[in-house]
Amino acid sequence: MEASLNSTTVRVRYAETDQMGVVYHANYFIWFEIGRTELLSAMGLPYDKLESEEGLNLPVAEANCRYRQSARYGDDVRIETRATVLRPSVIRFDYKAKRVSDDVLLAEAHTIHMVCNREMKRHPLPEKYLAALRSN
Amino acid sequence: MEASLNSTTVRVRYAETDQMGVVYHANYFIWFEIGRTELLSAMGLPYDKLESEEGLNLPVAEANCRYRQSARYGDDVRIETRATVLRPSVIRFDYKAKRVSDDVLLAEAHTIHMVCNREMKRHPLPEKYLAALRSN
Amino acid sequence: MEASLNSTTVRVRYAETDQMGVVYHANYFIWFEIGRTELLSAMGLPYDKLESEEGLNLPVAEANCRYRQSARYGDDVRIETRATVLRPSVIRFDYKAKRVSDDVLLAEAHTIHMVCNREMKRHPLPEKYLAALRSN
Amino acid sequence: MEASLNSTTVRVRYAETDQMGVVYHANYFIWFEIGRTELLSAMGLPYDKLESEEGLNLPVAEANCRYRQSARYGDDVRIETRATVLRPSVIRFDYKAKRVSDDVLLAEAHTIHMVCNREMKRHPLPEKYLAALRSN
């Protein structure tokens, strides 16, 4: 079960701040995507291969984030990501964003993804992906 | 009650697409922010005045979006926004994003905002704002 | 000659600001793209048709911007765009960004674009596009 | 002279691609900013300190990029950055973006920055910054 947790770190970019002096809320979803692609990649299932070799995409069906503390320019933020197979064509990822310097929780989130083929029709994830995700 | 619904239209920018050929999911939250600022502005309560004159911000505490259909480059998308005062220092906005050409629902969403002063402490919204939002 | 000048207006989004309290510099290039697509569209040559029907893209070969004054949240900014055919497969666009409220020049810019087919090889623009651009 | 060259690597994010299947051109300027802040940081002159302790900003006066090859999702891109003091209140940064896998040059760029105080007036960079930049 432990393997399901991928951890990757992003450094806050100036472009990600807004005039409130903190990271603009929508940018967390860009970080969470880095989290899930790094998780897939660490399992030997790189997302670009899923697109180019299997012809499959993972469009987002739902995105949810609760913001606890603000991230600021220059902060290093650890993105912890966990994957769950809800159905062979529906995957859920859960995320925590934590400030590296003091381990403070900045945000908790989840996204739900449909597995779709090039015609944007639902399509089960290949078995090797499902097996890897389930074994986590 | 009708006045609570603000409607504003955005045209999809090339920069907002990704290599899946559709609008990147995080960008909807940028559109929803346009929706809520246009709603406040239409009520005579421009958000920049809230920041500059009242010293108040509306940081996002929670953001949620369910994606129904993809928006594509060049689409005109109507953002319908409704505001609800949950508490004097907690405001909720609900959104629908619809493709203008055929009125198809693209996404439904809500965000919950804390009202905070310059020290990022909770602070009730000024009464004129509350009254305007409640009268909707 | 006058027709070559397309004018379109964008309202500064909160997401486009940074913690300096002004629009982040890279975002001007997103506005300039709106300028050139609106120019093409106004000439009856929508860019999405160029992609979908002609199989042609206009990747950016060079981008240059000189920033004069800062744009701020809530400003309306007028983007004035002019097109020049340098070669049948090389197009230049010149831009001015002006604050609508007082007509102050915020930025001057140009971009140079290659016309490329789906294999990303140089390819002349269809004659109807060239004629329209040259007649400006 | 060698120390002037800072090298930092970014991995292309899905959000940075567009429907042409390559990195959207404006995003390179975000990477170049990472390059210059990493250069300053490596010299012991972190940019956030410049803002918070010295009250100085480095707004961009000019930005220029020539694009050679496209960066794609998943690519690692090395940003090489060099700084030059043009005047005590005018700094120039030159950049090369190279694909890590094969060292191919993707883009060459430069930006010119004014040193400004909180009132956005020109102000010379503190001597310790100038000395460090000049000694490179």
Side-chain angles (χ1 to χ4, degrees):
Chain A
M1 290 297 286
E2 291 311 297
S4 68
L5 189 64
N6 180 269
S7 180
T8 190
T9 299
V10 296
R11 178 164 293 175
V12 175
R13 301 172 170 189
Y14 205 89
E16 293 172 334
T17 63
D18 64 25
Q19 70 181 41
M20 221 185 290
V22 298
V23 172
Y24 186 73
H25 66 290
N27 291 325
Y28 286 74
F29 290 104
I30 296 174
W31 299 346
F32 298 140
E33 179 177 68
I34 295 172
R36 63 183 178 266
T37 56
E38 292 293 327
L39 179 146
L40 290 172
S41 182
M43 297 166 71
L45 307 168
Y47 185 69
D48 53 350
K49 289 280 190 301
L50 185 68
E51 280 201 347
S52 62
E53 294 181 4
E54 310 283 350
L56 297 176
N57 289 312
L58 293 179
V60 182
E62 183 175 338
N64 183 278
C65 186
R66 286 138 292 145
Y67 302 88
R68 304 301 187 199
Q69 295 283 333
S70 299
R72 291 176 183 278
Y73 172 60
D75 283 351
D76 286 323
V77 178
R78 189 172 60 251
I79 307 298
E80 298 174 355
T81 307
R82 188 178 298 270
T84 309
V85 177
L86 298 183
R87 289 195 293 282
S89 63
V90 185
I91 313 296
R92 174 180 168 131
F93 294 92
D94 286 87
Y95 315 89
K96 289 185 198 293
K98 294 179 180 172
R99 189 164 49 213
V100 169
S101 64
D102 57 7
D103 214 43
V104 162
L105 180 66
L106 302 174
E108 293 177 281
H110 72 264
T111 55
I112 296 176
H113 299 255
M114 299 294 130
V115 185
C116 290
N117 61 20
R118 291 205 173 90
E119 291 74 43
M120 283 293 186
K121 301 294 179 196
R122 291 265 293 273
H123 189 284
L125 208 59
E127 188 53 41
K128 69 175 174 182
Y129 282 77
L130 292 173
L133 289 169
R134 283 178 174 136
S135 71
N136 283 323
Chain B
M1 291 294 286
E2 292 312 297
S4 69
L5 189 64
N6 180 268
S7 181
T8 191
T9 299
V10 295
R11 178 163 293 174
V12 175
R13 301 172 171 190
Y14 205 88
E16 293 171 334
T17 62
D18 64 24
Q19 69 182 41
M20 221 185 290
V22 298
V23 172
Y24 186 73
H25 66 288
N27 291 324
Y28 286 75
F29 289 104
I30 296 174
W31 299 347
F32 297 141
E33 180 177 66
I34 295 172
R36 62 183 178 267
T37 56
E38 292 292 327
L39 180 147
L40 290 171
S41 182
M43 296 166 72
L45 307 168
Y47 184 69
D48 53 351
K49 290 279 190 301
L50 185 67
E51 280 200 347
S52 62
E53 294 181 3
E54 310 282 351
L56 297 176
N57 288 313
L58 294 178
V60 182
E62 183 175 337
N64 183 278
C65 185
R66 287 138 290 144
Y67 302 88
R68 305 301 187 198
Q69 295 284 333
S70 299
R72 291 175 183 278
Y73 171 61
D75 283 351
D76 286 323
V77 178
R78 189 171 59 251
I79 307 298
E80 297 174 356
T81 308
R82 189 178 297 270
T84 309
V85 177
L86 298 184
R87 289 195 292 283
S89 63
V90 185
I91 313 296
R92 175 181 167 130
F93 294 91
D94 285 86
Y95 315 89
K96 289 185 198 293
K98 294 179 180 171
R99 189 164 49 213
V100 169
S101 64
D102 57 7
D103 214 43
V104 162
L105 180 66
L106 302 175
E108 293 177 281
H110 72 264
T111 56
I112 296 176
H113 299 254
M114 299 294 130
V115 186
C116 290
N117 60 20
R118 290 204 174 91
E119 291 73 43
M120 283 293 187
K121 300 294 179 195
R122 290 265 293 274
H123 189 283
L125 208 59
E127 187 53 43
K128 70 174 173 183
Y129 282 77
L130 291 173
L133 288 169
R134 283 178 174 136
S135 72
N136 283 324
Chain C
M1 290 295 284
E2 292 311 297
S4 69
L5 189 64
N6 180 267
S7 181
T8 191
T9 299
V10 296
R11 178 163 293 174
V12 174
R13 302 173 170 189
Y14 205 89
E16 293 171 335
T17 63
D18 64 24
Q19 69 180 41
M20 221 185 292
V22 298
V23 172
Y24 186 73
H25 66 288
N27 291 324
Y28 286 75
F29 289 104
I30 296 174
W31 298 347
F32 297 141
E33 180 178 67
I34 294 172
R36 62 182 179 267
T37 56
E38 292 292 328
L39 180 147
L40 290 171
S41 182
M43 297 166 72
L45 307 168
Y47 184 69
D48 54 350
K49 290 279 191 301
L50 184 68
E51 280 201 346
S52 62
E53 294 181 3
E54 310 283 351
L56 297 176
N57 289 314
L58 293 179
V60 182
E62 182 175 336
N64 183 279
C65 186
R66 285 138 291 144
Y67 302 88
R68 305 300 188 200
Q69 295 283 332
S70 299
R72 290 175 185 278
Y73 172 60
D75 283 351
D76 285 324
V77 178
R78 189 172 60 251
I79 307 298
E80 298 174 355
T81 308
R82 188 179 297 270
T84 308
V85 177
L86 297 183
R87 289 195 293 283
S89 64
V90 185
I91 313 296
R92 175 181 167 131
F93 294 92
D94 285 87
Y95 315 89
K96 288 185 199 292
K98 295 179 179 171
R99 189 163 50 213
V100 169
S101 64
D102 57 7
D103 214 45
V104 162
L105 181 66
L106 302 174
E108 294 177 282
H110 72 263
T111 56
I112 296 176
H113 299 255
M114 299 294 131
V115 186
C116 291
N117 60 19
R118 290 204 174 89
E119 290 74 42
M120 282 293 187
K121 300 294 178 195
R122 290 265 294 273
H123 189 284
L125 208 58
E127 187 54 42
K128 70 175 173 182
Y129 282 78
L130 291 172
L133 288 169
R134 283 177 175 138
S135 71
N136 283 322
Chain D
M1 291 294 285
E2 292 311 298
S4 70
L5 189 64
N6 180 268
S7 180
T8 191
T9 300
V10 295
R11 178 164 293 174
V12 175
R13 301 173 170 188
Y14 205 89
E16 294 171 335
T17 62
D18 64 23
Q19 69 181 39
M20 221 185 290
V22 299
V23 171
Y24 186 73
H25 66 288
N27 291 324
Y28 286 75
F29 290 104
I30 296 174
W31 298 347
F32 297 141
E33 180 177 67
I34 295 172
R36 63 183 178 266
T37 56
E38 292 292 327
L39 179 146
L40 290 172
S41 181
M43 297 166 72
L45 308 168
Y47 185 70
D48 54 350
K49 290 279 190 303
L50 185 67
E51 281 201 346
S52 62
E53 294 181 2
E54 309 283 351
L56 297 176
N57 289 313
L58 294 179
V60 182
E62 182 175 338
N64 183 278
C65 186
R66 286 138 291 144
Y67 301 88
R68 305 301 187 199
Q69 295 284 332
S70 299
R72 292 175 183 278
Y73 172 61
D75 283 351
D76 286 323
V77 178
R78 189 172 59 250
I79 308 298
E80 298 174 355
T81 308
R82 189 178 296 270
T84 309
V85 177
L86 298 184
R87 288 196 292 284
S89 64
V90 185
I91 313 295
R92 174 180 168 131
F93 294 92
D94 285 86
Y95 315 89
K96 288 184 199 294
K98 294 178 180 173
R99 189 163 50 213
V100 168
S101 64
D102 58 7
D103 214 45
V104 162
L105 180 67
L106 301 175
E108 294 176 281
H110 72 263
T111 56
I112 296 175
H113 299 255
M114 299 294 131
V115 186
C116 290
N117 60 19
R118 291 205 173 89
E119 291 73 44
M120 282 292 186
K121 300 293 178 194
R122 291 265 293 274
H123 189 284
L125 207 59
E127 188 53 42
K128 69 174 173 183
Y129 282 77
L130 291 173
L133 288 169
R134 283 179 175 135
S135 71
N136 283 322

